Amino acid sequence: MACSTSGSKGGADAGRSPGAAGAPSDGGAGIVGTSSGGAGASAGDVDAAGATDGAASNDAAAPPASDAGTNSGPTAYEAERGFLAGGTTVASAHTGFSGSGYVSGFTAAGAEVISAIDVAAAATYDVTFRYASASASGKTLTLYINGYRSGPVSFPSTSGAWASHGESLALRAGLNTLSLVFEPSDGGGIDLDAVLVQGGVALAARGATTPWVELEAESMMTNATLVGPGREYGTIEAECSGRKAVRFDKTGDFVSFTLSRAANTLVVRASIPDSADGQGQSGTLGLYVDGRRARALTLSSKYAWVYGGYPYDNTPAAGAPHHYFDEQRFDVGELPAGAVIKLQKDVGDTLTPLTIDLVDLEEAPAAFAMPAGFLSITAQGAVADDGQDDSAAIAATIALAQTQKKGVFVPPGTFEIAGHVALTGVALAGAGPWHSVLHGKAGKGGLFGGGGRIAILDLAIFGDVSHRDDANFDTAIEGNFGVGSLVQNVWIEHTKVGLWIDAPSDGFYVVGTRIRDTFADGVNIHKGTRGMRFDQSHVRNTGDDGLAMFSEALPVTGCAYTFNTVTLPMLANDVGLYGGTDNRVEDNLLSDTVNASAGIAVSTRFSPVPFAGTTSVQRNTLTRTGGYEHNWMKAFGAIWLFADSAAIAAPVLIKDVDVVDSSYQGLLLSGDNAIGQVTFDGVRVTGAGSYGIDLSAKGSATFQNVTVSGASMGALNNPGGYTLVRGAGNSGF
């Protein structure tokens, strides 16, 4: 875990073609809103393909849903699967609903439900809200599309029966959010069953729905050297996605692949040598399209390579290097489906060796226009791409926007921020994360929430952090976020932490976000935070836990990590839960942990507030997770329950989970205190480097429908006589 600037905690062991605007051109000021607004669509035709290891399905259990893009019927997104805040709840008393329930509680200002949906192309779609209203006069709620205010929606009375209300809405290609909010001028008072989208696309069954195609280098055509497989800490293959990569050693080495669909941007995850002083160096790599060299791609090791013991630094003389990889993104112009792309080491590409792990290909939309009701930071003196600090101009724009009840717009370009940018009850939006960049300087620069309803939309936050310094460096997004706050379509890279959220944050939703190459946690939901959900997001190459909840002094309560893809944390876990009340880790794809790590840790390490309520760990897939703690000389399992500073005495439900090719144990229970009230139900352990189940603890747990196969040291290790309550359906142990 990481250290925020507002608290302390030690770590784990010592130029595209134009298109439709993405934000409303005649609308309100985003999530803080004015009285009218447009729908907000973006250009491009992005098929929402997930990353490697993803699977396709709907986020919601639907009333009959059709295949996307046909005329046979709409795709349904169940309201109860959405994000709820401000008093809305899942109910089931009103019979006739679809799915597992419906959303009720639109009884006061601030009540809200947000549904994530997916469409193949930017266009206007027929969207139907299935609802019921007993009011004789009907009711209204206010619709937001992707965080931008669209305006009131009228729901006529249905005399209590379920009915449908249709709207034609402009949506972006890929992931969208539709929010219904009870604003002071609204009547509320409906029950919402589902959102149905004609032409909607099924969201991923597990993991994030993302707008890019991810290709592993080892699966491409190549004449270069295959690296891996291997998982030994301190080797480059241990830090590769899938534990394999391709290394270029000589001129003419290449990898080549054919585009399955059009793209105009490219991300390359690569490792090149560090400089002698540890500050990094740059070099080039040839990009070929259909046999013609199109350009040179410049790669850098500035944000890679750290040395020594925890928390690591940039001093090569300390030895023990790791964090070998970084990634760079490139605008490569329009590349059609079927184009043959080659990355090749040419004469003049002098860096050796050069290791390619993977590439992401995306059809990024054109820059979004500034919405009406927003103020541009350039009007207060910010200048794009000049390398000068724009913090004062941004702060002045925020102050003016708060006075005028407007939003703040970051136009295309890179704007420098040399410290915290304070946000309180305001929307900050950009032209899209491929266009609008807030760039930190010398380890500093980030957004700091001061409470109220805050929106951060459609931009990138790229830090200037090249090693870990918890006391002095900044987090990308940090602080207190009030009910109804939203982060959507944000790209975070090269910061200390991606998000560090503290009390009294409540009712905060983060969706469609990508976090890359941080030097501590990807996300830390910290002490006292309530009702936060991090959803449909992708996290890769963090320096500590990919996703953490840390109940330091105050419990994290009712928070959730859902439908995320997390891979390659360099230290610690894909997901770490440290105490807390009624929190959830559900429907995620987790893979490739590296050092001192589990896939999911449920732990009382770091002396958190003990667990209470029910901790839910359901419908997750863990692949090549678990790791070895060299300081302790102990292995950690893919799923690790650790009763360290206190017992784990409240219910923990681990259900419908797939543990695949664990590096060590599939399931590990350990610690000096008791572990009880744990239920393993429908857990499948397939392949383990040591034991399938290792019960090095005291207490008892229930196992039902649990299967173990392919464990190299045996299916079950129970040296201390831990009590297994065996239900039906177990096999292999």
Side-chain angles (χ1 to χ4, degrees):
M1 288 193 304
C3 194
S4 82
T5 55
S6 60
S8 64
K9 178 71 198 80
D13 285 320
R16 286 171 280 280
S17 58
S25 59
D26 59 348
I31 201 163
V32 292
T34 56
S35 59
S36 63
S42 67
D45 183 3
V46 182
D47 182 52
T52 302
D53 295 331
S57 163
N58 201 337
D59 177 26
S66 67
D67 293 336
T70 72
N71 294 320
S72 59
T75 296
Y77 305 87
E78 292 293 334
E80 70 274 13
R81 301 297 298 276
F83 174 72
L84 279 58
T88 50
T89 60
V90 176
S92 58
H94 188 164
T95 59
F97 57 83
S98 61
S100 59
Y102 57 90
V103 173
S104 189
F106 288 103
T107 58
E112 178 176 17
V113 60
I114 304 178
S115 297
I117 66 173
D118 189 29
V119 295
T124 298
Y125 290 83
D126 292 333
V127 177
T128 299
F129 299 98
R130 188 171 191 264
Y131 77 102
S133 171
S135 169
S137 59
K139 296 291 184 179
T140 62
L141 292 171
T142 298
L143 175 67
Y144 286 76
I145 303 175
N146 297 318
Y148 300 94
R149 194 178 192 277
S150 178
V153 176
S154 297
F155 293 94
S157 175
T158 67
S159 300
W162 293 107
S164 296
H165 172 78
E167 297 273 337
S168 293
L169 304 178
L171 302 177
R172 301 173 176 176
L175 192 71
N176 291 256
T177 60
L178 298 180
S179 312
L180 287 174
V181 184
F182 190 144
E183 295 195 338
S185 59
D186 290 324
I190 72 166
D191 292 335
L192 182 68
D193 184 30
V195 178
L196 299 94
V197 180
Q198 186 70 44
V201 177
L203 298 169
R206 295 183 182 181
T209 297
T210 61
W212 63 86
V213 172
E214 183 173 298
L215 299 176
E216 297 280 357
E218 68 271 16
S219 299
M220 302 174 189
M221 181 180 296
T222 185
N223 65 346
T225 301
L226 179 67
V227 174
R231 306 188 196 186
E232 180 65 30
Y233 180 58
T235 63
I236 197 166
E237 55 264 35
E239 298 188 14
C240 296
S241 174
R243 316 298 176 138
K244 297 178 183 178
V246 171
R247 188 181 70 236
F248 295 177
D249 296 311
K250 61 185 184 302
T251 300
D253 282 354
F254 73 88
V255 292
S256 178
F257 54 92
T258 301
L259 290 185
S260 61
R261 64 174 190 252
N264 55 20
T265 64
L266 171 69
V267 171
V268 179
R269 185 174 194 262
S271 176
I272 64 176
D274 200 2
S275 60
D277 63 0
Q279 300 306 302
Q281 60 179 323
S282 61
T284 55
L285 176 67
L287 171 67
Y288 287 75
V289 179
D290 291 331
R292 177 182 60 84
R293 183 178 165 102
R295 59 175 289 185
L297 304 178
T298 300
L299 305 177
S300 172
S301 58
K302 178 180 180 180
Y303 301 107
W305 297 85
V306 293
Y307 303 90
Y310 174 88
Y312 318 112
D313 59 29
N314 265 340
T315 307
H322 75 284
H323 201 283
Y324 304 110
F325 285 90
D326 189 32
E327 51 194 73
Q328 277 85 42
R329 65 181 196 173
F330 305 97
D331 184 334
V332 293
E334 294 297 331
L335 303 174
V340 177
I341 309 301
K342 182 168 66 173
L343 303 177
Q344 179 169 292
K345 180 178 171 62
D346 290 333
V347 174
D349 299 334
T350 58
L351 293 176
T352 303
L354 189 158
T355 304
I356 306 293
D357 184 26
L358 58 81
V359 298
D360 293 335
L361 295 131
E362 180 178 353
E363 180 76 7
F368 303 162
M370 183 175 77
F374 275 66
L375 305 175
S376 174
I377 62 173
T378 57
Q380 299 300 317
V383 178
D385 306 320
D386 68 346
Q388 302 301 305
D389 184 18
D390 296 298
S391 300
I394 296 172
T397 311
I398 291 170
L400 190 62
Q402 289 168 327
T403 300
Q404 298 183 8
K405 299 189 183 303
K406 293 184 176 181
V408 175
F409 185 69
V410 180
T414 297
F415 298 87
E416 306 295 328
I417 51 175
H420 280 138
V421 174
L423 301 175
T424 301
V426 70
L428 178 71
W434 280 97
H435 301 280
S436 298
V437 179
L438 298 176
H439 182 249
K441 297 175 73 70
K444 298 292 188 178
L447 306 178
F448 202 100
R453 187 177 172 93
I454 298 168
I456 304 170
L457 310 169
D458 302 326
L459 52 80
I461 304 170
F462 280 17
D464 186 31
V465 173
S466 59
H467 65 282
R468 182 166 180 165
D469 186 339
D470 287 346
N472 295 303
F473 290 165
D474 286 348
T475 290
I477 298 174
E478 177 172 11
N480 168 26
F481 292 79
V483 173
S485 293
L486 174 68
V487 170
Q488 182 175 343
N489 195 27
V490 171
W491 187 329
I492 295 169
E493 196 158 344
H494 300 149
T495 60
K496 180 182 70 177
V497 179
L499 289 90
W500 184 285
I501 309 303
D502 272 306
S505 296
D506 189 357
F508 177 28
Y509 187 45
V510 181
V511 63
T513 291
R514 57 188 105 178
I515 297 174
R516 303 276 187 270
D517 309 311
T518 65
F519 284 84
D521 299 336
V523 180
N524 196 310
I525 301 177
H526 194 218
K527 61 181 179 182
T529 300
R530 304 177 63 89
M532 178 178 169
R533 182 174 173 184
F534 185 85
D535 185 41
Q536 293 290 352
S537 295
H538 195 280
V539 179
R540 183 165 64 212
N541 200 44
T542 59
D544 212 313
D545 286 329
L547 305 175
M549 294 186 195
F550 179 30
S551 294
E552 182 183 27
L554 297 171
V556 172
T557 301
C559 294
Y561 289 126
T562 58
F563 293 98
N564 302 298
T565 300
V566 184
T567 186
L568 291 163
M570 295 296 102
L571 174 69
N573 318 293
D574 281 318
V575 181
L577 303 183
Y578 306 96
T581 301
D582 289 322
N583 297 311
R584 299 184 291 128
V585 179
E586 297 177 348
D587 305 291
N588 301 288
L589 289 178
L590 312 171
S591 65
D592 290 328
T593 57
V594 175
N595 181 36
S597 54
I600 299 174
V602 178
S603 174
T604 59
R605 195 176 178 186
F606 309 118
S607 301
V609 174
F611 289 98
T614 298
T615 299
S616 173
V617 178
Q618 298 194 62
R619 299 178 305 279
N620 301 288
T621 299
L622 295 80
T623 306
R624 297 178 301 272
T625 60
Y628 194 77
E629 218 310 345
H630 291 82
N631 295 301
W632 296 4
M633 298 182 67
K634 290 188 177 181
F636 298 163
I639 294 180
W640 179 33
L641 276 65
F642 183 37
D644 183 26
S645 64
I648 298 176
V652 178
L653 175 61
I654 301 175
K655 184 176 181 179
D656 219 7
V657 171
D658 292 283
V659 176
V660 181
D661 194 13
S662 175
S663 296
Y664 295 95
Q665 307 97 328
L667 311 177
L668 171 64
L669 280 62
S670 68
D672 294 330
N673 292 286
I675 299 174
Q677 296 200 64
V678 178
T679 299
F680 295 92
D681 185 359
V683 177
R684 295 164 289 276
V685 177
T686 308
S690 62
Y691 299 106
I693 302 172
D694 186 350
L695 303 175
S696 297
K698 56 188 176 183
S700 67
T702 298
F703 289 76
Q704 58 194 34
N705 303 308
V706 175
T707 62
V708 177
S709 62
S712 65
M713 294 177 62
L716 176 64
N717 181 47
N718 189 7
Y722 188 88
T723 301
L724 284 77
V725 179
R726 292 180 178 266
N730 297 314
S731 66
F733 68 99

Coordinates of all heavy atoms in Angstrom, one line a residue, residues 354-415:
L354 N 16.0 -4.6 -26.5 CA 14.7 -4.0 -26.4 C 13.6 -5.1 -26.4 O 13.5 -5.9 -27.3 CB 14.5 -3.1 -27.7 CG 13.3 -2.1 -27.7 CD1 13.6 -1.0 -28.7 CD2 12.0 -2.8 -28.1
T355 N 12.8 -5.1 -25.3 CA 11.9 -6.1 -25.1 C 10.4 -5.6 -25.2 O 10.1 -4.6 -24.6 CB 12.0 -6.7 -23.7 OG1 13.4 -7.2 -23.5 CG2 11.1 -7.9 -23.5
I356 N 9.7 -6.2 -26.1 CA 8.3 -5.8 -26.4 C 7.4 -6.8 -25.7 O 7.5 -8.0 -25.9 CB 7.9 -5.8 -27.9 CG1 8.9 -4.9 -28.6 CG2 6.5 -5.3 -28.1 CD1 8.8 -3.5 -28.3
D357 N 6.5 -6.3 -24.8 CA 5.6 -7.2 -24.1 C 4.2 -7.3 -24.8 O 3.7 -8.3 -25.0 CB 5.4 -6.7 -22.6 CG 4.5 -7.6 -21.8 OD1 4.4 -8.8 -22.1 OD2 3.9 -7.1 -20.8
L358 N 3.6 -6.1 -25.1 CA 2.3 -6.1 -25.7 C 2.1 -4.8 -26.3 O 2.8 -3.8 -26.1 CB 1.2 -6.4 -24.6 CG 1.1 -5.5 -23.4 CD1 0.4 -4.2 -23.7 CD2 0.4 -6.2 -22.3
V359 N 1.0 -4.7 -27.1 CA 0.6 -3.4 -27.7 C -1.0 -3.4 -27.5 O -1.7 -4.4 -27.5 CB 0.9 -3.3 -29.2 CG1 2.4 -3.3 -29.4 CG2 0.2 -4.4 -30.0
D360 N -1.4 -2.1 -27.4 CA -2.9 -1.8 -27.4 C -3.2 -1.0 -28.6 O -2.5 0.0 -28.9 CB -3.3 -1.1 -26.1 CG -3.2 -1.9 -24.9 OD1 -3.2 -3.1 -25.0 OD2 -3.0 -1.3 -23.8
L361 N -4.2 -1.3 -29.3 CA -4.6 -0.6 -30.5 C -6.0 -0.1 -30.4 O -6.9 -0.8 -30.0 CB -4.5 -1.5 -31.8 CG -3.1 -1.9 -32.1 CD1 -3.0 -3.4 -32.3 CD2 -2.6 -1.2 -33.3
E362 N -6.2 1.2 -30.7 CA -7.5 1.8 -30.4 C -7.9 2.8 -31.4 O -7.0 3.6 -31.9 CB -7.4 2.6 -29.0 CG -8.6 3.3 -28.5 CD -8.4 3.9 -27.2 OE1 -7.4 3.7 -26.5 OE2 -9.3 4.6 -26.7
E363 N -9.1 2.9 -31.8 CA -9.6 4.0 -32.6 C -10.1 5.1 -31.7 O -11.3 5.1 -31.2 CB -10.8 3.5 -33.5 CG -11.4 4.5 -34.4 CD -10.5 4.9 -35.6 OE1 -9.5 4.2 -35.8 OE2 -10.9 5.8 -36.4
A364 N -9.3 6.0 -31.4 CA -9.6 7.1 -30.4 C -10.4 8.1 -31.2 O -10.2 8.5 -32.3 CB -8.3 7.7 -29.9
P365 N -11.4 8.7 -30.5 CA -12.3 9.7 -31.1 C -11.6 11.0 -31.3 O -10.6 11.3 -30.6 CB -13.5 9.8 -30.2 CG -12.9 9.4 -28.8 CD -11.9 8.4 -29.1
A366 N -12.2 11.8 -32.2 CA -11.7 13.2 -32.3 C -11.9 14.0 -31.0 O -12.7 13.6 -30.2 CB -12.4 13.9 -33.5
A367 N -11.2 15.1 -30.9 CA -11.3 15.9 -29.7 C -12.8 16.4 -29.5 O -13.4 16.8 -30.4 CB -10.4 17.1 -29.8
F368 N -13.2 16.3 -28.2 CA -14.6 16.7 -27.9 C -14.6 18.3 -27.8 O -13.6 18.9 -27.4 CB -15.0 16.2 -26.5 CG -15.0 14.7 -26.4 CD1 -15.0 14.1 -25.1 CD2 -15.0 13.9 -27.5 CE1 -15.0 12.7 -25.0 CE2 -15.0 12.5 -27.3 CZ -14.9 11.9 -26.1
A369 N -15.7 18.8 -28.2 CA -15.9 20.3 -28.2 C -16.1 20.7 -26.7 O -16.6 19.9 -25.9 CB -17.0 20.7 -29.1
M370 N -15.8 22.0 -26.4 CA -16.1 22.5 -25.1 C -17.7 22.6 -25.0 O -18.3 23.2 -25.8 CB -15.5 23.8 -24.8 CG -15.8 24.4 -23.4 SD -14.9 25.9 -23.0 CE -15.9 27.1 -23.9
P371 N -18.3 22.1 -23.9 CA -19.7 22.2 -23.7 C -20.1 23.6 -23.4 O -19.3 24.4 -22.8 CB -20.0 21.3 -22.5 CG -18.8 20.5 -22.3 CD -17.6 21.3 -22.8
A372 N -21.3 24.0 -23.8 CA -21.8 25.3 -23.3 C -22.0 25.2 -21.8 O -22.2 24.1 -21.2 CB -23.2 25.5 -23.9
G373 N -21.8 26.3 -21.1 CA -21.9 26.3 -19.6 C -20.5 25.9 -19.0 O -20.5 25.7 -17.8
F374 N -19.4 25.8 -19.8 CA -18.1 25.6 -19.3 C -17.2 26.8 -19.6 O -17.5 27.5 -20.6 CB -17.5 24.3 -19.9 CG -17.9 23.1 -19.2 CD1 -19.2 22.6 -19.2 CD2 -16.9 22.3 -18.5 CE1 -19.6 21.4 -18.6 CE2 -17.3 21.1 -17.9 CZ -18.6 20.7 -17.9
L375 N -16.2 26.9 -18.8 CA -15.2 28.0 -19.0 C -13.8 27.4 -19.3 O -13.4 26.5 -18.6 CB -15.1 28.9 -17.7 CG -16.4 29.5 -17.2 CD1 -16.1 30.2 -15.9 CD2 -17.0 30.5 -18.2
S376 N -13.2 27.8 -20.4 CA -11.9 27.3 -20.7 C -10.8 27.9 -19.9 O -10.8 29.1 -19.6 CB -11.6 27.6 -22.2 OG -10.3 27.2 -22.5
I377 N -9.9 27.0 -19.5 CA -8.7 27.5 -18.7 C -7.8 28.4 -19.5 O -7.1 29.2 -18.9 CB -7.9 26.3 -18.1 CG1 -7.3 25.4 -19.3 CG2 -8.7 25.4 -17.2 CD1 -6.3 24.4 -18.8
T378 N -7.9 28.4 -20.8 CA -7.1 29.3 -21.6 C -7.5 30.7 -21.5 O -6.7 31.6 -21.7 CB -7.1 28.8 -23.1 OG1 -8.4 28.8 -23.6 CG2 -6.4 27.5 -23.2
A379 N -8.8 30.9 -21.2 CA -9.3 32.3 -21.0 C -8.7 33.0 -19.8 O -8.7 34.2 -19.7 CB -10.8 32.3 -20.9
Q380 N -8.1 32.2 -18.9 CA -7.5 32.8 -17.7 C -6.0 32.7 -17.8 O -5.3 32.8 -16.8 CB -8.0 32.0 -16.4 CG -9.5 32.2 -16.2 CD -9.9 33.6 -16.0 OE1 -9.2 34.4 -15.3 NE2 -11.0 34.0 -16.6
G381 N -5.5 32.4 -19.0 CA -4.0 32.4 -19.2 C -3.3 31.1 -19.3 O -2.1 31.2 -19.5
A382 N -4.0 30.0 -19.2 CA -3.3 28.7 -19.5 C -2.9 28.6 -20.9 O -3.7 29.0 -21.8 CB -4.2 27.6 -19.0
V383 N -1.7 28.1 -21.2 CA -1.2 28.0 -22.5 C -0.8 26.5 -22.7 O 0.1 26.0 -22.0 CB 0.0 28.9 -22.8 CG1 0.5 28.7 -24.2 CG2 -0.4 30.4 -22.6
A384 N -1.3 25.9 -23.8 CA -1.0 24.5 -24.0 C 0.4 24.4 -24.6 O 0.9 25.2 -25.3 CB -2.0 23.9 -25.1
D385 N 1.1 23.3 -24.1 CA 2.3 22.8 -24.7 C 3.5 23.8 -24.6 O 4.5 23.6 -25.4 CB 2.1 22.5 -26.2 CG 0.9 21.5 -26.4 OD1 0.8 20.6 -25.6 OD2 0.1 21.7 -27.4
D386 N 3.5 24.7 -23.6 CA 4.6 25.6 -23.5 C 5.5 25.2 -22.4 O 6.5 25.9 -22.2 CB 4.1 27.1 -23.3 CG 3.4 27.3 -22.0 OD1 3.1 26.3 -21.3 OD2 3.2 28.4 -21.6
G387 N 5.2 24.2 -21.7 CA 6.1 23.7 -20.6 C 6.0 24.5 -19.3 O 6.8 24.3 -18.4
Q388 N 5.2 25.5 -19.2 CA 5.1 26.4 -18.1 C 3.9 26.0 -17.2 O 2.9 25.5 -17.6 CB 4.9 27.9 -18.5 CG 6.0 28.4 -19.4 CD 7.4 28.3 -18.8 OE1 7.6 28.8 -17.7 NE2 8.3 27.6 -19.4
D389 N 4.1 26.3 -15.9 CA 3.1 25.9 -14.9 C 1.8 26.7 -15.2 O 1.7 27.9 -15.2 CB 3.6 26.2 -13.5 CG 2.6 25.7 -12.4 OD1 1.7 24.9 -12.7 OD2 2.8 26.2 -11.3
D390 N 0.7 25.9 -15.3 CA -0.6 26.5 -15.6 C -1.5 26.4 -14.3 O -2.7 26.7 -14.4 CB -1.3 25.8 -16.7 CG -0.6 26.0 -18.0 OD1 -0.5 27.1 -18.5 OD2 -0.1 25.0 -18.6
S391 N -1.0 26.1 -13.2 CA -1.8 25.9 -12.0 C -2.6 27.1 -11.6 O -3.8 27.0 -11.2 CB -0.9 25.5 -10.8 OG -0.2 24.3 -11.1
A392 N -2.0 28.3 -11.7 CA -2.7 29.5 -11.3 C -3.9 29.8 -12.2 O -5.0 30.2 -11.7 CB -1.7 30.7 -11.2
A393 N -3.7 29.6 -13.5 CA -4.8 29.8 -14.4 C -5.9 28.8 -14.2 O -7.1 29.2 -14.3 CB -4.3 29.7 -15.9
I394 N -5.6 27.6 -13.9 CA -6.6 26.6 -13.7 C -7.4 26.9 -12.4 O -8.6 26.9 -12.3 CB -6.0 25.2 -13.6 CG1 -5.4 24.8 -15.0 CG2 -7.0 24.2 -13.2 CD1 -4.6 23.5 -14.9
A395 N -6.7 27.3 -11.3 CA -7.3 27.7 -10.1 C -8.2 28.9 -10.3 O -9.3 28.9 -9.7 CB -6.3 28.0 -9.0
A396 N -7.8 29.9 -11.1 CA -8.6 31.0 -11.3 C -9.9 30.7 -12.1 O -11.0 31.2 -11.8 CB -7.8 32.1 -12.1
T397 N -9.8 29.7 -13.0 CA -10.9 29.3 -13.8 C -11.9 28.6 -12.9 O -13.1 28.7 -13.0 CB -10.5 28.4 -14.9 OG1 -9.5 29.0 -15.7 CG2 -11.7 28.1 -15.9
I398 N -11.4 27.7 -12.0 CA -12.2 27.0 -11.1 C -13.0 28.0 -10.2 O -14.2 27.8 -9.9 CB -11.4 26.0 -10.2 CG1 -10.9 24.9 -11.1 CG2 -12.2 25.4 -9.1 CD1 -9.9 24.0 -10.5
A399 N -12.3 29.0 -9.6 CA -13.0 29.9 -8.8 C -14.1 30.7 -9.5 O -15.2 30.9 -8.9 CB -11.9 30.9 -8.2
L400 N -13.8 31.1 -10.7 CA -14.9 31.7 -11.5 C -16.0 30.8 -11.8 O -17.2 31.2 -11.7 CB -14.2 32.3 -12.8 CG -15.1 33.2 -13.7 CD1 -15.4 34.5 -12.9 CD2 -14.3 33.6 -14.9
A401 N -15.7 29.6 -12.1 CA -16.8 28.6 -12.5 C -17.6 28.3 -11.2 O -18.9 28.2 -11.4 CB -16.2 27.3 -13.0
Q402 N -17.1 28.2 -10.1 CA -17.9 28.0 -8.8 C -18.8 29.2 -8.6 O -20.0 29.0 -8.2 CB -16.9 27.8 -7.7 CG -16.2 26.5 -7.7 CD -15.1 26.5 -6.7 OE1 -14.4 27.5 -6.4 NE2 -14.8 25.3 -6.1
T403 N -18.3 30.4 -8.9 CA -19.2 31.6 -8.7 C -20.3 31.6 -9.7 O -21.5 31.9 -9.3 CB -18.3 32.9 -8.8 OG1 -17.3 32.9 -7.9 CG2 -19.2 34.1 -8.7
Q404 N -20.0 31.2 -10.9 CA -21.0 31.3 -12.0 C -21.8 30.0 -12.2 O -22.7 29.9 -13.0 CB -20.4 31.6 -13.3 CG -19.7 33.0 -13.3 CD -19.1 33.3 -14.7 OE1 -19.3 32.6 -15.7 NE2 -18.3 34.4 -14.7
K405 N -21.5 29.0 -11.3 CA -22.2 27.7 -11.4 C -22.0 27.0 -12.8 O -22.9 26.6 -13.4 CB -23.6 27.7 -11.0 CG -23.9 28.2 -9.6 CD -25.3 28.1 -9.2 CE -25.5 28.6 -7.8 NZ -24.7 28.0 -6.8
K406 N -20.7 27.1 -13.2 CA -20.4 26.5 -14.5 C -19.3 25.4 -14.3 O -18.8 25.2 -13.2 CB -19.9 27.6 -15.5 CG -21.0 28.6 -15.9 CD -20.5 29.6 -16.9 CE -21.6 30.5 -17.4 NZ -21.1 31.4 -18.4
G407 N -18.9 24.8 -15.4 CA -17.8 23.8 -15.4 C -16.6 24.4 -15.9 O -16.5 25.5 -16.4
V408 N -15.5 23.6 -15.8 CA -14.1 24.0 -16.2 C -13.7 23.1 -17.3 O -13.8 21.9 -17.2 CB -13.2 24.0 -15.0 CG1 -11.7 24.3 -15.5 CG2 -13.6 25.0 -13.9
F409 N -13.2 23.7 -18.4 CA -12.8 22.9 -19.6 C -11.3 23.0 -19.8 O -10.7 24.1 -19.8 CB -13.6 23.4 -20.8 CG -13.3 22.5 -22.0 CD1 -13.8 21.2 -22.1 CD2 -12.6 23.0 -23.1 CE1 -13.6 20.4 -23.3 CE2 -12.4 22.3 -24.3 CZ -12.8 21.0 -24.3
V410 N -10.7 21.8 -20.0 CA -9.3 21.7 -20.4 C -9.2 21.4 -21.9 O -9.6 20.2 -22.3 CB -8.6 20.6 -19.6 CG1 -7.1 20.5 -20.0 CG2 -8.7 20.9 -18.1
P411 N -8.9 22.3 -22.8 CA -8.9 22.0 -24.2 C -7.8 21.1 -24.6 O -6.9 20.7 -23.8 CB -8.7 23.4 -24.8 CG -8.0 24.2 -23.8 CD -8.5 23.7 -22.4
P412 N -7.7 20.7 -25.9 CA -6.6 19.9 -26.3 C -5.2 20.5 -26.1 O -5.1 21.7 -26.1 CB -6.9 19.7 -27.8 CG -8.3 19.9 -28.0 CD -8.7 20.9 -26.9
G413 N -4.3 19.6 -25.7 CA -2.9 20.1 -25.4 C -2.5 19.6 -24.1 O -3.3 19.0 -23.3
T414 N -1.2 19.9 -23.7 CA -0.7 19.5 -22.4 C -0.5 20.7 -21.6 O 0.1 21.7 -22.0 CB 0.7 18.8 -22.6 OG1 0.5 17.6 -23.4 CG2 1.3 18.4 -21.3
F415 N -1.0 20.7 -20.4 CA -1.0 21.8 -19.4 C -0.3 21.3 -18.2 O -0.6 20.3 -17.6 CB -2.4 22.3 -19.1 CG -3.1 22.8 -20.3 CD1 -3.9 22.0 -21.1 CD2 -3.1 24.2 -20.7 CE1 -4.6 22.4 -22.2 CE2 -3.8 24.6 -21.8 CZ -4.5 23.8 -22.6

